Amino acid sequence: MSHPTAAVIAVGNELLNGSIADTNTAEIARALQEVGIELLFSMAVRDEKSEIVNAVNLAIERASLTVVCGGIGPTKDDLTREAVAEALGVPLEFRPEAWEAIKARLKTRGVAEREDHKKQAMIPKGATPLKNPVGSALGAMVKKDDRILVMLPGVPKELKAMLGEVVATLPEEWKNPPKSVIRLRSFGLPESEIDRLLESLWNNPHLSLGLRVLSPRHTEIRIAGDSHATFQAKETASRLMGDHLYSTNGEELEEVLGRLLRQQGKSIATAESCTGGMISHTITNVPGSSDYMLEALVTYSNEAKEQLLGVSHKTLLDHGAVSRETAEERVKGLRRVSGADCCAAVTGIAGPGGGTPQKPVGLVFAGFYVDNKCWVREYRFSGSRLEIKQLTTMSVLNEIRLKLEKNP
Amino acid sequence: MSHPTAAVIAVGNELLNGSIADTNTAEIARALQEVGIELLFSMAVRDEKSEIVNAVNLAIERASLTVVCGGIGPTKDDLTREAVAEALGVPLEFRPEAWEAIKARLKTRGVAEREDHKKQAMIPKGATPLKNPVGSALGAMVKKDDRILVMLPGVPKELKAMLGEVVATLPEEWKNPPKSVIRLRSFGLPESEIDRLLESLWNNPHLSLGLRVLSPRHTEIRIAGDSHATFQAKETASRLMGDHLYSTNGEELEEVLGRLLRQQGKSIATAESCTGGMISHTITNVPGSSDYMLEALVTYSNEAKEQLLGVSHKTLLDHGAVSRETAEERVKGLRRVSGADCCAAVTGIAGPGGGTPQKPVGLVFAGFYVDNKCWVREYRFSGSRLEIKQLTTMSVLNEIRLKLEKNP
């Protein structure tokens, strides 16, 4: 078999009644791509035995590997085991060693064992049980002729914890891992513009590209291929995307910024209004950020703005809270009270209310103070309240990143 | 046809290479459920004509309504139109009125019209074009015998904007909307515990339930049925889930809290350390929150903690920054500097580093000041850094919500 392929069957009514979106398929696809196995199709089916049997038949007919996730819990709605056994034409059998593992797991969680838990130790004859390090539902792997079928739990955390073992257990001759995978991250460009800029890479038969939008104007570009081709792709993308490319190794913007602050021995502080604390929340998502993050002052009322940062009453009266002048006074005030090496102070209108023709929703001023230099940027964003908060947060982090990267 | 069913086919390599998770299926499922049409299955297939044709054949054989999303853009990878026409056995035809709509849309976006855009005006013979209010790709609806097939764009924002028209256009005799749908929201209980508590509702044949986990211990429960049964379900759930149930109309916790603050004419302020601004960020996600949110002080370094909130050097030395005593001094300091009616001050260890046997990762103290009463809560959370931040944020908002709800 020169190009083994895979199919995913996600089982559960919750995937078909709008309760949740299926994230397991993408997780499985990423794990399989690491070893060069591509997904041919995926399906979501209801908790009904005949539906699962039909889907399994369709999948094993076409794909070398079928991954069925969900429906292996202890309740009567969990029918994946029965359906897989029926589709493969083998009986279910009780496996004492699986039952011991399930009992041990229940004990550590302080859950009393019940008769229905025993059901989880029934797996198709000839199958190998797969350990679940974070839950009680065991997985299983069955071979039939040159095909392999794997059953995994539907709980994303449990599935994720088991994928490594599944991939390791697959026949070595199926695997053809890409020589090199790089992850570029970009902020500031719309998806269509990235598409256009990277046209030559899309058309390169030696590369496989994937775009993932993380938040507005914030994108991850995954490039797989041999090491020479991906190295060239990285150079090309860096040249074409310039300052918009903030990392070439999958690092988050707040991680890049944290690394720069740490390398240069600098501290940071923020003063926020329209972002409501989101900039500080993002900076502090990085473990160890207390080494450089000093403080954030979220001043929502005008009174708090004046008191904490010493913005003059006259500036607020003459120019308003959302103005270039207020942003500048705020960042200077922040520098004074925090003593941080890098300071950013924002003021803006996140909407949906509060806009005027002169100062529309999405207008944001950000004052910066880095290395004894002070400057103000004006942004005009559009989108929902949360999108304007996200755009402001990313723009502020990116501005400081660029300034620090240009340091000798 | 007494019970019309539907199937979704999502087209696009990006859904099968791990780039993105498919959120369109859940969106379509929710829209169809509003009129009582249930999804039988969904599929994701690659941008290959034969794959789309096979999937469409499978779907129209089994489902009354087939929704194909994705693959209707202008590029050569967009093959849904051709595949649908082939599966239905009808030719594609150029529709001048569709072309006019596409040109008008391109013009408003300032995009020059290209020959390949014309492709988007080719739809299967006999189909009705569906307007796209937020993009250039038009949809289409085709009838074949007693079956209906709909083509929609794969961009979630565009698909969402078009679903209302699609549902309105479906035959009235297919529709059997549930008399009543309620959305309960709960914080503090694990999913398995909610499952167990609501067992009688799951077993009630007059109700249809769906659980959606929003973040750790934070869950939405959707209950559909006739108005009597859902009213009773709401009463039952309220009784069984008690204080864990924070809304019965789909309101977010920060919206409930904002409504209570507004009704009681109260203001709020936070002092944060381990949450890094996330509590304030969450409070200010609500439009108009500047009416009650005064300020947040995110004090990450010990120095900042002492300065801004007047925590005594002795308390920090004797008990440490993460302690009941520091939490209490911080909330009293916050009350002093902010004058807010409701104050919350947290201090804790979000991890993954920084834990000790005495003060492990996940230990959080929160001091509260509401209506001239001051108290401290101790939490012991587990999970990733972000999960501990989320659990702390929700716990703090919920504590103040409960206090305000108990006011006369």
Side-chain angles (χ1 to χ4, degrees):
Chain A
M1 200 182 304
S2 57
H3 290 298
T5 52
V8 171
I9 300 168
V11 180
N13 291 348
E14 70 279 13
L15 301 168
L16 293 162
N17 66 15
S19 292
I20 56 167
D22 165 40
T23 55
N24 287 335
T25 299
E27 197 66 49
I28 295 166
R30 280 192 286 269
L32 291 176
Q33 261 203 346
E34 299 295 323
V35 294
I37 299 175
E38 305 230 310
L39 279 197
L40 197 57
F41 69 91
S42 74
M43 258 184 116
V45 299
R46 308 176 69 90
D47 293 306
E48 285 169 31
K49 202 168 100 178
S50 62
E51 293 290 326
I52 309 171
V53 171
N54 286 343
V56 169
N57 282 331
L58 188 70
I60 58 176
E61 190 188 310
R62 298 200 50 209
S64 326
L65 172 69
T66 298
V67 181
V68 189
C69 49
I72 62 168
T75 77
K76 60 179 184 305
D77 286 351
D78 292 306
L79 299 164
T80 296
R81 270 178 298 267
E82 287 81 349
V84 166
E86 184 174 320
L88 298 178
V90 295
L92 283 174
E93 64 178 16
F94 179 74
R95 296 283 282 268
E97 83 275 26
W99 179 225
E100 291 308 315
I102 292 165
K103 280 198 291 191
R105 179 78 208 169
L106 291 170
K107 205 171 167 189
T108 65
R109 288 167 57 215
V111 178
E113 71 181 66
R114 296 187 313 261
E115 193 55 31
D116 59 0
H117 285 128
K118 263 199 177 166
K119 199 178 126 169
Q120 292 182 282
M122 303 285 292
I123 60 175
K125 196 177 157 77
T128 313
L130 295 170
K131 276 198 271 317
N132 180 343
V134 292
S136 71
L138 293 182
M141 179 180 271
V142 209
K143 293 189 186 181
K144 192 189 173 173
D145 309 324
D146 60 343
R147 305 290 156 132
I148 293 178
L149 184 143
V150 173
M151 285 188 274
L152 293 174
V155 181
K157 200 165 131 182
E158 300 182 17
L159 177 122
K160 205 171 165 176
M162 295 172 74
L163 274 176
E165 195 196 332
V166 170
V167 171
T169 316
L170 294 175
E172 283 310 311
E173 65 272 22
W174 283 16
K175 299 178 189 172
N176 180 26
K179 303 274 184 314
S180 170
V181 176
I182 54 170
R183 286 190 168 77
L184 310 178
R185 281 175 161 245
S186 144
F187 175 70
L189 293 172
E191 203 189 346
S192 57
E193 181 65 11
I194 295 175
D195 242 15
R196 201 185 57 74
L197 283 173
L198 302 186
E199 203 177 349
S200 67
L201 304 185
W202 287 103
N203 293 333
N204 183 334
H206 302 294
L207 295 172
S208 150
L209 265 73
L211 268 188
R212 185 153 64 121
V213 176
L214 306 164
S215 63
R217 312 227 149 182
H218 184 200
T219 312
E220 182 173 280
I221 306 138
R222 181 188 181 280
I223 305 181
D226 68 46
S227 36
H228 179 68
T230 55
F231 178 79
Q232 283 198 318
K234 187 155 82 176
E235 299 285 294
T236 306
S238 299
R239 184 167 41 78
L240 294 171
M241 300 175 71
D243 284 349
H244 295 293
L245 206 67
Y246 70 78
S247 92
T248 56
N249 59 359
E251 258 187 329
E252 305 268 4
L253 182 51
E254 57 270 26
E255 289 173 322
V256 177
L257 179 62
R259 188 171 39 70
L260 289 165
L261 288 167
R262 200 180 284 277
Q263 280 165 359
Q264 301 181 15
K266 293 195 168 114
S267 58
I268 190 167
T270 67
E272 311 190 31
S273 67
C274 60
T275 44
M278 192 185 197
I279 304 174
S280 166
H281 164 49
T282 307
I283 291 172
T284 61
N285 276 342
V286 180
S289 46
S290 51
D291 293 347
Y292 47 81
M293 177 66 182
L294 298 187
E295 65 189 86
L297 304 173
V298 186
T299 52
Y300 232 61
S301 65
N302 271 358
E303 212 178 315
K305 281 190 182 85
E306 292 181 68
Q307 269 185 20
L308 285 171
L309 296 167
V311 176
S312 78
H313 192 63
K314 185 170 182 322
T315 303
L316 288 173
L317 269 185
D318 288 356
H319 305 280
V322 180
S323 65
R324 182 171 286 276
E325 291 75 11
T326 300
E328 188 173 334
E329 282 198 27
R330 296 187 82 207
V331 79
K332 287 180 173 164
L334 176 64
R335 161 68 186 175
R336 211 163 37 238
V337 302
S338 73
D341 304 304
C342 304
C343 295
V346 297
T347 174
I349 303 162
T356 64
Q358 287 74 38
K359 296 188 176 178
V361 168
L363 176 67
V364 175
F365 292 95
F368 297 91
Y369 178 99
V370 180
D371 294 339
N372 301 309
K373 267 194 68 181
C374 182
W375 71 101
V376 177
R377 285 248 182 274
E378 176 179 338
Y379 304 103
R380 286 169 186 266
F381 298 124
S382 61
S384 68
R385 183 177 178 87
L386 183 61
E387 285 170 338
I388 288 170
K389 288 176 83 174
Q390 287 171 328
L391 285 161
T392 305
T393 297
M394 292 292 295
S395 299
V396 165
L397 299 181
N398 204 37
E399 182 82 10
I400 303 175
R401 190 254 318 170
L402 285 169
K403 179 72 185 160
L404 294 181
E405 277 182 352
K406 272 151 199 165
N407 275 349
Chain B
M1 201 180 305
S2 57
H3 292 295
T5 54
V8 170
I9 299 168
V11 180
N13 291 348
E14 70 279 13
L15 300 168
L16 293 163
N17 67 15
S19 291
I20 55 167
D22 165 41
T23 55
N24 286 336
T25 299
E27 197 67 49
I28 295 166
R30 281 192 285 270
L32 291 176
Q33 260 203 347
E34 299 294 324
V35 294
I37 299 175
E38 305 230 313
L39 279 198
L40 197 56
F41 69 91
S42 73
M43 258 183 118
V45 298
R46 307 175 70 90
D47 292 306
E48 285 167 30
K49 202 168 100 177
S50 62
E51 294 290 327
I52 309 171
V53 171
N54 286 343
V56 168
N57 282 332
L58 188 71
I60 57 176
E61 189 187 310
R62 299 200 49 209
S64 325
L65 171 70
T66 297
V67 181
V68 189
C69 48
I72 63 170
T75 78
K76 60 178 184 305
D77 285 350
D78 292 306
L79 299 163
T80 296
R81 272 177 297 267
E82 287 82 349
V84 165
E86 183 175 321
L88 298 179
V90 294
L92 283 173
E93 62 177 18
F94 178 75
R95 295 283 281 268
E97 83 274 27
W99 180 225
E100 290 308 315
I102 292 165
K103 281 198 292 191
R105 178 77 210 172
L106 290 170
K107 204 170 167 190
T108 65
R109 288 167 58 215
V111 177
E113 70 182 66
R114 297 188 311 262
E115 194 55 31
D116 60 359
H117 285 128
K118 261 198 178 166
K119 198 178 128 168
Q120 293 183 282
M122 302 286 290
I123 61 175
K125 195 176 156 79
T128 313
L130 296 169
K131 276 198 270 318
N132 180 344
V134 291
S136 71
L138 292 182
M141 180 180 270
V142 209
K143 293 189 186 181
K144 190 185 177 178
D145 309 324
D146 59 344
R147 306 289 156 132
I148 292 178
L149 184 143
V150 173
M151 285 187 275
L152 293 175
V155 180
K157 201 163 131 184
E158 300 181 19
L159 177 121
K160 205 171 166 178
M162 295 172 74
L163 273 176
E165 195 196 333
V166 170
V167 171
T169 316
L170 294 175
E172 283 310 311
E173 63 273 22
W174 283 16
K175 299 178 188 172
N176 180 26
K179 302 278 184 314
S180 170
V181 176
I182 55 169
R183 285 189 169 79
L184 310 178
R185 281 175 161 245
S186 147
F187 175 71
L189 293 171
E191 204 190 345
S192 58
E193 181 65 12
I194 296 175
D195 240 16
R196 202 185 57 75
L197 283 173
L198 302 186
E199 203 178 349
S200 67
L201 304 185
W202 287 104
N203 293 332
N204 183 335
H206 302 294
L207 295 173
S208 149
L209 263 73
L211 268 189
R212 184 152 63 122
V213 176
L214 306 164
S215 63
R217 312 228 148 180
H218 184 199
T219 312
E220 182 174 281
I221 306 137
R222 180 188 182 279
I223 305 180
D226 68 45
S227 35
H228 179 68
T230 54
F231 178 79
Q232 282 198 318
K234 186 155 83 176
E235 300 284 295
T236 306
S238 300
R239 184 167 42 78
L240 294 171
M241 299 176 69
D243 284 349
H244 296 292
L245 206 68
Y246 69 77
S247 93
T248 56
N249 58 0
E251 256 186 330
E252 306 267 4
L253 182 52
E254 57 269 27
E255 289 174 321
V256 176
L257 178 63
R259 187 171 40 70
L260 289 165
L261 288 166
R262 200 180 284 278
Q263 279 166 0
Q264 301 181 17
K266 293 197 168 109
S267 57
I268 190 166
T270 67
E272 312 190 30
S273 68
C274 60
T275 45
M278 192 185 197
I279 305 175
S280 166
H281 164 48
T282 307
I283 292 172
T284 61
N285 277 342
V286 180
S289 45
S290 51
D291 292 349
Y292 47 81
M293 177 66 181
L294 298 187
E295 65 189 87
L297 304 174
V298 185
T299 52
Y300 232 62
S301 66
N302 272 357
E303 213 178 316
K305 280 189 182 85
E306 293 181 68
Q307 267 184 21
L308 285 171
L309 297 166
V311 175
S312 78
H313 192 61
K314 185 171 182 322
T315 303
L316 287 173
L317 269 185
D318 289 355
H319 305 281
V322 180
S323 65
R324 182 173 287 277
E325 290 75 10
T326 300
E328 188 172 334
E329 281 198 27
R330 297 186 81 206
V331 78
K332 286 179 173 164
L334 176 64
R335 162 66 186 176
R336 214 165 34 239
V337 300
S338 73
D341 303 304
C342 303
C343 295
V346 297
T347 174
I349 303 162
T356 64
Q358 286 74 39
K359 295 188 175 179
V361 168
L363 176 67
V364 175
F365 293 95
F368 297 92
Y369 179 100
V370 179
D371 294 341
N372 300 311
K373 266 194 70 180
C374 182
W375 71 101
V376 177
R377 284 247 183 273
E378 177 179 338
Y379 304 103
R380 285 171 187 263
F381 297 125
S382 61
S384 68
R385 184 176 177 88
L386 184 61
E387 284 171 338
I388 289 171
K389 288 176 82 174
Q390 288 173 326
L391 285 160
T392 305
T393 298
M394 291 293 293
S395 299
V396 165
L397 299 181
N398 204 36
E399 182 81 11
I400 303 176
R401 189 255 318 170
L402 286 168
K403 179 71 185 163
L404 294 181
E405 276 183 351
K406 271 152 199 165
N407 276 349

